[in-house]
Amino acid sequence: MTDSKYFTTTKKGEIFELKAELNSDKKEKKKEAVKKVIASMTVGKDVSALFPDVVNCMQTDNLELKKLVYLYLMNYAKSQPDMAIMAVNTFVKDCEDPNPLIRALAVRTMGCIRVDKITEYLCEPLRKCLKDEDPYVRKTAAVCVAKLHDINAQLVEDQGFLDTLKDLISDSNPMVVANAVAALSEIAESHPNSNLLDLNPQSINKLLTALNECTEWGQIFILDCLANYTPRDDRESQSICERVTPRLSHANSAVVLSAVKVLMKFMEMLPKDLDYYGTLLKKLAPPLVTLLSAEPELQYVALRNINLIVQKRPEILKHEMKVFFVKYNDPIYVKLEKLDIMIRLASQANIAQVLAELKEYATEVDVDFVRKAVRAIGRCAIKVEQSAERCVSTLLDLIQTKVNYVVQEAIVVIKDIFRKYPNKYESVIATLCENLDSLDEPEARAAMIWIVGEYAERIDNADELLESFLEGFHDESTQVQLQLLTAIVKLFLKKPTETQELVQQVLSLATQDSDNPDLRDRGYIYWRLLSTDPVAAKEVVLAEKPLISEETDLIEPTLLEELICHIGTLASVYHKPPSAFVEGSRGVMHKRLPARTGSGEGTECPDVGNAAGGSAPEAAPSIIPSQGDLLGDLLNLDLAPPTTTGPTPSTSGMQMGGMDLLGGGLDSLVGTMGAGFGAAPTVMPASLNAPVGGGLGDLFDLGGGVGMPMGAYIPPKTVWLPAMKAKGLEISGTFARRAGVIQMELVLTNKAMSVMTDFAIQFNRNSFGLAPAGPLQVLTPLGPNQTIEVSLPLSTVGPVMKMDPLNNLQVAVKNNIDVFYFSCQYPISMLFVEDGKMERQVFLATWKDIPNDNESQFQIQDCHLNSEAASNKLQGSNIFTIAKRTVEGQDMLYMSIKLSNGIWVLAELKVQAGNPNYTISLKCRAPEVSQCVFQCYEAVLKN
Amino acid sequence: MIGGLFIYNHKGEVLISRVYRDDIGRNAVDAFRVNVIHARQQVRSPVTNIARTSFFHVKRSNIWLAAVTKQNVNAAMVFEFLYKMCDVMASYFGKISEENIKNNFVLIYELLDEILDFGYPQNSETGSLKTFITQQGIKGQTKEEQSQITSQVTGQIGWRREGIKYRRNELFLDVLESVNLLMSPQGQVLSAHVSGRVVMKSYLSGMPECKFGMNDKIIIDKAGKGGVTNEAGKSTSGKQSIAIDDCTFNQCVRLSKFDSERSISFIPPDGEYELMRYRTTKDIILPFRVIPLVREVGRTKLEVKVVIKSNFKPSLLAQKIEVRIPTPLNTSGVQVICMKGKAKYKASENAIVWKIKRMAGMKESQISAEIELLPTNDKKKWARPPISMNFEVPFAPSGLKVRYLKVFESKLNYSDHDVIKWVRYIGRSGIYETRC
């Protein structure tokens, strides 16, 4: 007799029959009936009507039957909460059963019944089970706490289960420890600010011990938890790494990847000159290569992760190119990923081999794969200059095959090659033009049009070619339309006599007959440029284009860092932060790599947005360039100011290769106009100063500030965020140091029509670790036209990242409407601490000790203070005069400054009576701060 | 964590559906069927995101296994778990087929309840699962038996149960290697590597402590240094030490001990399992050398001569030898002469397939063929795919040697000497190609 008969289609009146069987006296018949019910449930039939009858079968000695009934209960309890109560007694009784398997079964099942009334009854049995003598019951109870927390978090906290769970981390049984760690990690995720896991060297030690003893799954839980810890210093980091490396030889790939995650993260803290650092790098390569012999699904996960790892640390796998060569039998998803990594690892040393492979791949059958291989050839040309010639000739060979999609793909990459090596390969244009008619994909058409426009002066019939596209202008995609518009304007500027009619035509098509605002705007801009000042138009439209960067398709660094912290997880497979695909509060917390200098300060920084009850994403990670849109950007770059690597902002487009134009081109166009029209998109951090900051750079040049004679210098308030960029919210502010506390003084003005609430603020990582010391205190809602002044105390223990300029600070402010970003510069004098007065002897020794290369000299002009007054004024800003010497009518003041991060700056100020120009020499072990310090001198002395 | 687990047949009908988390609804079952199983094109990724829900799937013959989640789970773990799930099911009821799954659905639900709790994988070793998930009920268990089960399931040695007894203590050790080669026509090795596995079948009583030793270069060198000199150490152990690029171990092996002392010690699971996998690239013994000679005679004829040389001890025999010589697409006829074995032109595969049943070491054999070509106006030259080869040899091409496998069981009175041990080496061809 087999069980498959339960799956056979059912006749009418089945429910009724089942009911009778469930109430039968015969045990066997009962069991058969329950099996039938479960089978019906599996295939999606509603058997909830049988609830009371099934629950009646619950009290039985037969464990198999009991389990089936429990399974039923878990499925239907929610829809029948009142009846589910009937089951409670049995559960409570089972939790006292002498058999540990039954106790565990009861507590495991109860946790899965999501009925409020039942959870109340669950507390007592759970408390007992958490302290059960049997480890099997304890490990089940540990997970049950997480289940209960998911249903009723408050209840779990009130009942003190969290503390009991924490105690289980010290349990003698490794599996109990592992499950407790898993449960705590999950609960901690929904409470980003609670210090639930309380990782400290002692608890880490316990985890590392349990790591050696628990099951493969337990090892994964523990390693994933370890990855959230930030060691205090490089020594602790090294000792943890040493204890984690043996896991790299585990047969379970997930254990290996989680170990790699811990190592990649902690390695950040190790000094690069350390021997162990090199050893560790060497140890990482073999296990990563071994992952490629796992099953294809795991290979895919491994390859997606390796893609991140080679971007972060290319040195690890640079000699392993061959293992990424595509095998004939690989599934397509493995092939595509391998191709990506091959390009990343391509270098002058191995390019010949790589090209030979790529050429091979371009003749395969899978269209996506072939396209990617063709594109890869182009990327190799851009990456490895020596190979460009060979790549171009390979591409030409491929164009000769006349396979439609190969030709189109080749044209798209050749356009990039032109951008990288101008005036080198233009001889191939003729060949490209031959294939004009076969292009049917927007991207290839746009690329071809770009080429025709760009090289219009060398193509005799450029006007005819472009005109042929113009016929079906309105049927083209936006990408092609924009490109055609630009190309024709270029053509006109190059050959004005013959093409006047054409340009008129395209301008009127773009401005009058189109619904697309982007197209219209671009059309109008050209029109006005051409009609007002053709010379200027020429300068703008035919401006020399910056070369495109060597590495394309790189993941933006902050995102990359975050993804490295998520190695092995879905985030690393999608190449997106968890917040992009996880709902609710989970996963909103951004993870970061620790800073190498991190000595105690480099703690995991909780999301400030969460602290304020909101979920403001951080300034930098919000920029998620999707792969492949460099190309999109390039198409429009002909008008844009230079961008660095060119990822345009976009948050959608999960799979790579999704051509994501998202208006990147137009926004950059607007950028050239010099006035941010409309809602500017999120801007690259590196270019934040330019478009957003406006007049921020001259913060210090503004005269007539409210300088205080003896106190610290406070620069006047400036507008940081104009209302037009922030949907009506205007922010101006300044920085001050009062009684040793750095404060950010903000003035928030609501220039919109609606009330603003729920303010929160957050900083991106910055040079001196500035971070809000508390939430932004805007307690009352901000009505229209209201202004509020807020003072935000800052701490200097936040995460550190060197900014350019050094005193640049990127800020995100959130309110109920949106999240806004701006950047500002703080005077470095805010960071001068009160105990910055150095001993004379120490000063002398330090001055000599700092190499002369670190000395920089500046002139302060038009300062009419005598040395005495200057010294007093500087003292107010914590610049301390240690000694004064007078030589030949010249006062030499020796001064010391200490920055909040412990950097000392020594200064020698020369003041000559009657001469308004001072000379100042600054010496510091970190010479990059000198410029900022000088600016402070100037600001303080002149105000 | 894993929010739910579904098993479908090839038509997309649900055979098993177990939901662990509240965020996974019944519609997830349908979403996967519609978007993946019934999707027109080929599967493009083993991970699919549909409406913010992620699906991980693996396929075993006609059966789809899908794990579902809405969270940022450890993706590698999910796949490892799905494979494990397949192993567990296979060891309970054999092949994973629709028939078997339907016949055992109650058992599968019971297993799923045990090995996945709230989406967290728990102990999934068949050795211990079989002690208490039996489909027979667990009536007659004494208290001692129960606590033995629980301590084993949660214990450090979850893969082996206590109280195993054999009349004859026996173990079988198989060293299985696949050797891969890409060679240039001039006989230069372009790339070569061996991927190997040590598979063990153990039938040992009690809880034996085992120690496995092989001729790992690092160990031998260490021992050599401890002895007289490096030189002397080498001469005693012969040249036979091999450099292992990387290895991974079954979870029974104490990894920290391997990391510190490079010794492989473990308490083995009962029955068959894979002890370790390894990879080597240095000093590989290539069992066969293929020497190709291709001559184009005019535009319509090719002369091919291929010599194969066996390169191992004359006393050993290689088996199942097959040489595959690709022919151009426009081949019209082939004449073959070979000294040994049988050779045939297979038009459908565009290749001459030459098969030899057995061949001893240090021998050579050759085949010559005349290939008639149809004249074509195709300008493209024939790409000349490499000549590939298949074989099986009774030794390890990496040079790996098992030095010892010691068994200690302190509680029972049998010693290492009483255990009957069998060691076997099998080398097979992986991708073994010579360009011509």
Side-chain angles (χ1 to χ4, degrees):
Chain A
M1 189 197 71
T2 63
D3 284 349
S4 58
K5 62 173 186 284
Y6 303 115
F7 283 88
T8 48
T9 48
T10 47
K11 25 193 191 322
K12 271 189 184 167
E14 188 203 21
I15 298 275
F16 186 75
E17 253 175 51
L18 280 173
K19 207 177 182 88
E21 282 174 40
L22 283 170
N23 291 314
S24 154
D25 293 335
K26 288 185 192 138
K27 272 191 180 169
E28 263 316 298
K29 203 153 196 188
K30 249 188 192 178
K31 194 166 146 190
E32 292 294 294
V34 176
K35 280 189 185 179
K36 278 186 206 164
V37 172
I38 300 290
S40 306
M41 188 175 92
T42 299
V43 296
K45 264 181 232 154
D46 184 15
V47 283
S48 61
L50 295 167
F51 199 89
D53 309 282
V54 176
V55 172
N56 270 339
C57 304
M58 194 171 165
Q59 291 212 10
T60 168
D61 302 336
N62 187 324
L63 200 62
E64 192 190 356
L65 180 58
K66 197 184 260 289
K67 283 182 179 173
L68 287 175
V69 175
Y70 280 179
L71 188 64
Y72 179 90
L73 259 176
M74 286 186 264
N75 255 307
Y76 288 114
K78 221 175 159 186
S79 58
Q80 312 255 351
D82 295 331
M83 303 250 249
I85 294 285
M86 286 166 37
V88 165
N89 265 337
T90 319
F91 281 129
V92 175
K93 215 175 91 201
D94 278 0
C95 283
E96 308 265 329
D97 197 279
N99 185 343
L101 293 171
I102 294 190
R103 292 202 295 276
L105 178 64
V107 81
R108 187 164 66 212
T109 313
M110 271 179 96
C112 296
I113 296 179
R114 305 177 59 92
V115 174
D116 273 345
K117 284 181 202 154
I118 288 198
T119 45
E120 287 166 26
Y121 293 101
L122 179 59
C123 292
E124 275 322 299
L126 177 58
R127 198 185 314 282
K128 268 188 212 150
C129 289
L130 279 167
K131 302 221 158 101
D132 201 284
E133 53 170 20
D134 195 293
Y136 183 76
V137 180
R138 288 201 301 275
K139 72 111 185 162
T140 312
V143 175
C144 189
V145 176
K147 292 178 186 170
L148 191 59
H149 187 269
D150 194 36
I151 306 170
N152 191 341
Q154 195 57 46
L155 185 71
V156 169
E157 279 165 43
D158 295 347
Q159 295 278 336
F161 285 139
L162 294 181
D163 292 326
T164 324
L165 202 52
K166 275 191 212 167
D167 294 342
L168 287 185
I169 292 205
S170 314
D171 199 280
S172 58
N173 184 295
M175 194 153 177
V176 177
V177 178
N179 276 4
V181 167
L184 277 173
S185 305
E186 176 166 346
I187 295 171
E189 239 179 74
S190 49
H191 289 274
N193 294 324
S194 65
N195 197 15
L196 252 188
L197 271 163
D198 186 30
L199 295 176
N200 54 49
Q202 288 77 34
S203 62
I204 290 292
N205 197 31
K206 278 180 202 157
L207 293 183
L208 286 168
T209 311
L211 186 62
N212 288 325
E213 294 165 351
C214 58
T215 64
E216 47 194 328
W217 314 116
Q219 296 185 19
I220 299 168
F221 306 154
I222 291 178
L223 287 168
D224 283 352
C225 173
L226 270 180
N228 289 326
Y229 177 64
T230 306
R232 288 162 310 169
D233 49 34
D234 50 331
R235 274 174 130 183
E236 193 189 0
S237 186
Q238 180 175 344
S239 88
I240 296 176
C241 287
E242 279 166 356
R243 293 177 70 178
V244 167
T245 35
R247 299 298 121 195
L248 294 174
S249 307
H250 203 287
N252 187 315
S253 308
V255 175
V256 176
L257 269 178
S258 290
V260 168
K261 164 165 56 189
V262 174
L263 296 175
M264 282 292 286
K265 189 175 167 187
F266 289 8
M267 211 165 156
E268 285 292 301
M269 292 185 65
L270 299 177
K272 284 199 168 169
D273 47 357
L274 196 70
D275 284 347
Y276 182 70
Y277 180 83
T279 321
L280 199 54
L281 273 183
K282 276 197 204 105
K283 276 193 175 171
L284 276 170
L288 287 174
V289 172
T290 300
L291 288 176
L292 297 182
S293 52
E295 288 84 347
E297 292 88 1
L298 271 174
Q299 277 188 53
Y300 173 72
V301 174
L303 286 164
R304 292 292 282 171
N305 279 286
I306 289 172
N307 198 329
L308 299 172
I309 293 168
V310 295
Q311 286 186 60
K312 181 74 192 164
R313 298 190 179 278
E315 64 269 32
I316 294 178
L317 287 167
K318 66 178 173 201
H319 299 303
E320 304 288 350
M321 170 62 94
K322 278 186 190 165
V323 301
F324 297 101
F325 284 176
V326 171
K327 290 192 191 124
Y328 183 75
N329 288 328
D330 284 335
I332 181 68
Y333 49 81
V334 168
K335 285 185 177 172
L336 292 172
E337 292 307 317
K338 281 187 173 174
L339 203 50
D340 247 348
I341 294 168
M342 278 172 69
I343 304 163
R344 295 219 192 281
L345 292 177
S347 67
Q348 202 183 332
N350 56 26
I351 193 72
Q353 259 183 319
V354 174
L355 262 182
E357 285 289 313
L358 292 176
K359 209 174 164 184
E360 200 70 28
Y361 304 160
T363 59
E364 283 234 22
V365 278
D366 189 284
V367 177
D368 282 354
F369 183 58
V370 171
R371 281 172 177 274
K372 201 162 183 173
V374 175
R375 206 167 271 225
I377 296 174
R379 278 169 65 182
C380 283
I382 291 166
K383 191 172 173 188
V384 185
E385 189 162 355
Q386 294 78 1
S387 74
E389 191 136 1
R390 249 183 305 173
C391 293
V392 172
S393 76
T394 309
L395 287 170
L396 284 177
D397 284 352
L398 290 171
I399 289 177
Q400 297 304 344
T401 64
K402 302 278 177 197
V403 177
N404 185 285
Y405 54 85
V406 173
V407 173
Q408 309 212 36
E409 210 58 51
I411 286 180
V412 172
V413 287
I414 286 179
K415 177 211 63 192
D416 287 353
I417 295 175
F418 285 167
R419 285 292 315 280
K420 171 78 184 179
Y421 309 107
N423 303 319
K424 216 165 167 191
Y425 300 110
E426 280 77 1
S427 55
V428 308
I429 291 176
T431 322
L432 302 185
C433 289
E434 287 166 22
N435 292 287
L436 207 61
D437 299 331
S438 65
L439 309 179
D440 52 9
E441 290 163 23
E443 202 190 348
R445 286 173 85 85
M448 193 64 223
I449 293 170
W450 183 87
I451 292 171
V452 174
E454 186 66 19
Y455 299 101
E457 69 273 25
R458 309 186 195 190
I459 305 170
D460 294 335
N461 59 342
D463 49 343
E464 283 169 38
L465 294 176
L466 291 176
E467 199 170 358
S468 68
F469 283 103
L470 211 52
E471 280 160 25
F473 188 78
H474 289 299
D475 301 328
E476 298 283 3
S477 72
T478 311
Q479 186 182 8
V480 179
Q481 289 176 334
L482 286 169
Q483 213 42 255
L484 197 53
L485 173 62
T486 305
I488 291 178
V489 172
K490 281 187 197 164
L491 174 70
F492 172 71
L493 289 169
K494 287 174 179 173
K495 300 177 179 173
T497 46
E498 314 124 63
T499 55
Q500 202 148 11
E501 204 173 313
L502 196 61
V503 82
Q504 290 284 352
Q505 205 182 339
V506 76
L507 285 175
S508 78
L509 277 173
T511 54
Q512 286 161 24
D513 302 337
S514 171
D515 295 337
N516 185 326
D518 295 345
L519 187 63
R520 276 209 313 262
D521 285 354
R522 196 188 276 203
Y524 280 125
I525 290 162
Y526 284 147
W527 202 322
R528 274 176 216 159
L529 263 175
L530 292 174
S531 55
T532 47
D533 190 354
V535 180
K538 214 163 184 163
E539 270 168 27
V540 171
V541 180
L542 302 179
E544 197 166 317
K545 280 154 288 295
L547 295 185
I548 55 175
S549 79
E550 300 196 347
E551 281 290 345
T552 51
D553 278 2
L554 283 181
I555 293 178
E556 195 259 331
T558 26
L559 177 63
L560 180 63
E561 289 209 349
E562 192 182 351
L563 292 178
I564 290 284
C565 297
H566 287 293
I567 283 178
T569 69
L570 259 183
S572 72
V573 174
Y574 292 151
H575 288 184
K576 287 171 158 198
S579 51
F581 60 90
V582 176
E583 280 167 2
S585 60
R586 279 199 184 117
V588 171
M589 190 158 71
H590 290 282
K591 294 190 180 178
R592 300 194 188 93
L593 292 177
R596 181 156 281 121
T597 46
S599 51
E601 260 88 31
T603 49
E604 195 80 10
C605 177
D607 199 323
V608 185
N610 283 335
S615 57
E618 281 160 47
S622 71
I623 295 140
I624 305 156
S626 71
Q627 308 203 354
D629 50 13
L630 172 70
L631 292 157
D633 205 38
L634 280 173
L635 286 170
N636 306 300
L637 239 170
D638 43 4
L639 280 175
T643 50
T644 43
T645 46
T648 44
S650 89
T651 41
S652 59
M654 198 185 99
Q655 293 295 336
M656 58 269 126
M659 282 321 301
D660 205 349
L661 270 175
L662 277 191
L666 273 179
D667 298 318
S668 46
L669 189 90
V670 169
T672 20
M673 291 284 293
F677 282 164
T682 31
V683 188
M684 279 278 302
S687 59
L688 249 175
N689 303 324
V692 177
L696 279 188
D698 28 47
L699 194 69
F700 296 104
D701 301 337
L702 286 173
V706 277
M708 275 183 280
M710 284 308 287
Y713 162 69
I714 300 170
K717 289 196 171 96
T718 42
V719 176
W720 284 336
L721 184 69
M724 64 189 287
K725 286 201 173 174
K727 303 187 179 164
L729 175 66
E730 187 188 77
I731 300 180
S732 58
T734 184
F735 293 88
R737 189 182 180 93
R738 295 206 171 91
V741 179
I742 308 169
Q743 288 184 318
M744 187 179 194
E745 301 192 333
L746 294 155
V747 180
L748 309 176
T749 309
N750 182 354
K751 295 195 170 171
M753 306 300 286
S754 58
V755 176
M756 292 176 178
T757 54
D758 301 325
F759 286 91
I761 192 164
Q762 211 171 336
F763 296 172
N764 193 8
R765 294 190 293 172
N766 52 69
S767 317
F768 295 97
L770 282 178
L776 188 62
Q777 298 283 348
V778 185
L779 299 172
T780 49
L782 194 58
N785 273 326
Q786 245 183 325
T787 295
I788 188 167
E789 291 201 30
V790 204
S791 165
L792 178 73
L794 306 182
S795 70
T796 52
V797 294
V800 175
M801 180 174 76
K802 199 178 160 196
M803 300 296 293
D804 188 26
L806 209 60
N807 56 346
N808 196 22
L809 181 66
Q810 297 175 351
V811 184
V813 169
K814 183 199 102 105
N815 62 13
N816 57 331
I817 297 166
D818 205 340
V819 182
F820 310 104
Y821 306 96
F822 63 87
S823 80
C824 53
Q825 293 177 3
Y826 47 90
I828 205 167
S829 58
M830 296 302 117
L831 302 166
F832 298 172
V833 294
E834 277 70 24
D835 63 343
K837 188 156 186 173
M838 213 180 227
E839 288 293 330
R840 272 170 180 242
Q841 295 304 323
V842 182
F843 183 92
L844 219 61
T846 319
W847 184 271
K848 278 182 192 153
D849 200 19
I850 299 176
N852 280 334
D853 293 350
N854 284 9
E855 185 172 352
S856 29
Q857 235 181 45
F858 303 93
Q859 295 284 334
I860 301 174
Q861 289 172 357
D862 277 353
C863 189
H864 298 282
L865 297 167
N866 63 23
S867 61
E868 191 72 36
S871 168
N872 274 342
K873 208 163 178 183
L874 290 169
Q875 180 122 11
S877 291
N878 291 340
I879 302 173
F880 299 97
T881 306
I882 292 166
K884 184 178 161 187
R885 206 148 59 100
T886 311
V887 186
E888 300 168 358
Q890 204 176 26
D891 285 342
M892 318 272 269
L893 296 170
Y894 294 93
M895 303 184 226
S896 75
I897 301 164
K898 187 182 171 192
L899 296 181
S900 57
N901 58 355
I903 293 179
W904 286 91
V905 183
L906 309 186
E908 183 197 51
L909 186 69
K910 287 184 199 155
V911 181
Q912 202 157 19
N915 185 349
N917 296 347
Y918 297 177
T919 308
I920 182 162
S921 304
L922 294 171
K923 249 186 164 183
C924 178
R925 287 211 162 82
E928 51 270 45
V929 302
S930 300
Q931 180 67 35
C932 293
V933 172
F934 158 67
Q935 286 172 0
C936 282
Y937 265 92
E938 202 164 37
V940 172
L941 289 175
K942 288 188 179 175
N943 286 295
Chain B
M1 282 310 113
I2 298 174
L5 209 138
F6 309 132
I7 303 181
Y8 302 83
N9 66 8
H10 67 288
K11 284 186 262 175
E13 292 164 354
V14 203
L15 304 178
I16 296 286
S17 120
R18 175 73 161 94
V19 172
Y20 293 93
R21 297 262 172 162
D22 203 37
D23 52 5
I24 303 299
R26 183 83 203 173
N27 52 358
V29 182
D30 303 324
F32 183 75
R33 175 186 25 246
V34 172
N35 289 289
V36 181
I37 302 181
H38 290 172
R40 290 212 178 159
Q41 87 262 50
Q42 190 194 351
V43 175
R44 304 306 279 193
S45 160
V47 185
T48 323
N49 192 309
I50 307 163
R52 288 196 154 227
T53 310
S54 299
F55 295 81
F56 300 76
H57 74 264
V58 299
K59 248 187 119 177
R60 288 289 181 271
S61 63
N62 274 333
I63 300 295
W64 299 75
L65 280 92
V68 194
T69 184
K70 285 210 165 185
Q71 296 170 27
N72 182 31
V73 291
N74 188 319
M77 184 185 78
V78 176
F79 281 122
E80 284 284 4
F81 177 79
L82 288 173
Y83 302 142
K84 193 77 183 190
M85 176 78 207
C86 293
D87 291 349
V88 171
M89 290 196 293
S91 89
Y92 265 95
F93 52 75
K95 194 172 174 278
I96 295 174
S97 63
E98 180 170 356
E99 190 60 25
N100 278 344
I101 287 174
K102 281 183 169 174
N103 279 335
N104 293 284
F105 82 97
V106 175
L107 168 72
I108 295 173
Y109 276 125
E110 196 176 344
L111 285 171
L112 281 177
D113 196 43
E114 184 58 43
I115 60 179
L116 209 52
D117 190 5
F118 202 40
Y120 289 106
Q122 305 291 306
N123 190 329
S124 48
E125 291 303 316
T126 31
S128 58
L129 285 174
K130 280 185 173 170
T131 60
F132 69 107
I133 295 188
T134 56
Q135 287 289 287
Q136 317 286 327
I138 40 166
K139 281 164 234 159
Q141 282 166 349
T142 63
K143 208 168 175 207
E144 286 71 46
E145 277 168 343
Q146 286 164 4
S147 71
Q148 203 177 38
I149 290 171
T150 58
S151 76
Q152 203 220 319
V153 173
T154 59
Q156 295 182 19
I157 309 156
W159 53 86
R160 189 185 179 90
R161 63 187 172 91
E162 300 247 11
I164 298 173
K165 277 213 173 70
Y166 287 101
R167 209 159 47 82
R168 207 156 86 127
N169 287 301
E170 211 171 5
L171 61 85
F172 300 84
L173 208 57
D174 285 350
V175 177
L176 308 172
E177 294 194 340
S178 97
V179 53
N180 299 278
L181 169 76
L182 183 62
M183 191 176 252
S184 76
Q186 292 75 32
Q188 189 194 354
V189 176
L190 297 175
S191 76
H193 77 269
V194 167
S195 56
R197 305 188 298 143
V198 177
V199 174
M200 197 165 158
K201 263 180 263 180
S202 69
Y203 305 104
L204 300 169
S205 310
M207 293 296 254
E209 173 76 44
C210 296
K211 213 171 159 191
F212 175 70
M214 53 185 180
N215 55 341
D216 176 4
K217 192 164 193 278
I218 296 175
I219 290 276
I220 305 262
D221 287 358
K222 227 196 246 170
K225 260 174 222 156
V228 200
T229 58
N230 219 346
E231 205 66 28
K234 259 184 194 163
S235 64
T236 51
S237 61
K239 59 149 199 136
Q240 304 284 1
S241 69
I242 62 160
I244 291 175
D245 288 19
D246 188 36
C247 45
T248 60
F249 296 100
N250 183 284
Q251 65 162 321
C252 65
V253 176
R254 294 184 186 88
L255 294 178
S256 42
K257 211 155 182 186
F258 178 75
D259 194 58
S260 56
E261 304 162 20
R262 225 174 153 83
S263 77
I264 304 167
S265 63
F266 55 98
I267 294 172
D270 196 38
E272 184 171 346
Y273 67 99
E274 187 180 289
L275 178 66
M276 69 178 283
R277 282 181 186 222
Y278 56 91
R279 198 157 42 81
T280 74
T281 45
K282 288 200 188 71
D283 301 325
I284 293 169
I285 308 160
L286 297 167
F288 286 96
R289 165 91 202 273
V290 177
I291 305 155
L293 201 78
V294 181
R295 207 159 66 94
E296 293 178 32
V297 187
R299 295 199 55 191
T300 56
K301 204 168 147 191
L302 271 181
E303 280 181 9
V304 179
K305 199 172 103 178
V306 175
V307 180
I308 58 167
K309 285 185 175 170
S310 58
N311 178 33
F312 45 88
K313 267 192 242 160
S315 57
L316 300 174
L317 274 181
Q319 289 183 308
K320 300 178 192 167
I321 302 149
E322 185 186 291
V323 182
R324 195 169 269 271
I325 305 159
T327 55
L329 296 173
N330 55 336
T331 302
S332 62
V334 178
Q335 276 117 41
V336 219
I337 310 162
C338 57
M339 293 154 49
K340 225 178 156 203
K342 282 178 189 163
K344 237 187 194 172
Y345 166 62
K346 294 195 173 168
S348 60
E349 295 168 38
N350 289 312
I352 300 167
V353 180
W354 176 25
K355 286 184 179 172
I356 305 170
K357 278 208 182 103
R358 268 185 279 295
M359 188 167 172
M362 306 315 272
K363 289 258 164 41
E364 68 173 71
S365 187
Q366 86 171 29
I367 183 172
S368 22
E370 272 188 29
I371 303 170
E372 305 280 340
L373 301 175
L374 289 170
T376 56
N377 49 8
D378 198 359
K379 271 178 251 157
K380 228 176 142 186
K381 265 181 81 184
W382 179 46
R384 285 201 189 184
I387 296 174
S388 61
M389 208 180 158
N390 287 319
F391 54 80
E392 200 180 289
V393 289
F395 60 89
S398 68
L400 183 128
K401 288 258 156 54
V402 176
R403 289 170 61 218
Y404 55 81
L405 200 151
K406 292 179 196 149
V407 181
F408 312 93
E409 167 52 283
S410 49
K411 285 187 199 143
L412 299 172
N413 55 350
Y414 72 90
S415 72
D416 188 37
H417 303 291
D418 305 330
V419 180
I420 306 160
K421 300 168 191 166
W422 306 87
V423 181
R424 184 164 64 151
Y425 298 91
I426 300 172
R428 292 198 183 97
S429 52
I431 296 167
Y432 202 85
E433 295 179 333
T434 307
R435 291 189 176 152
C436 59

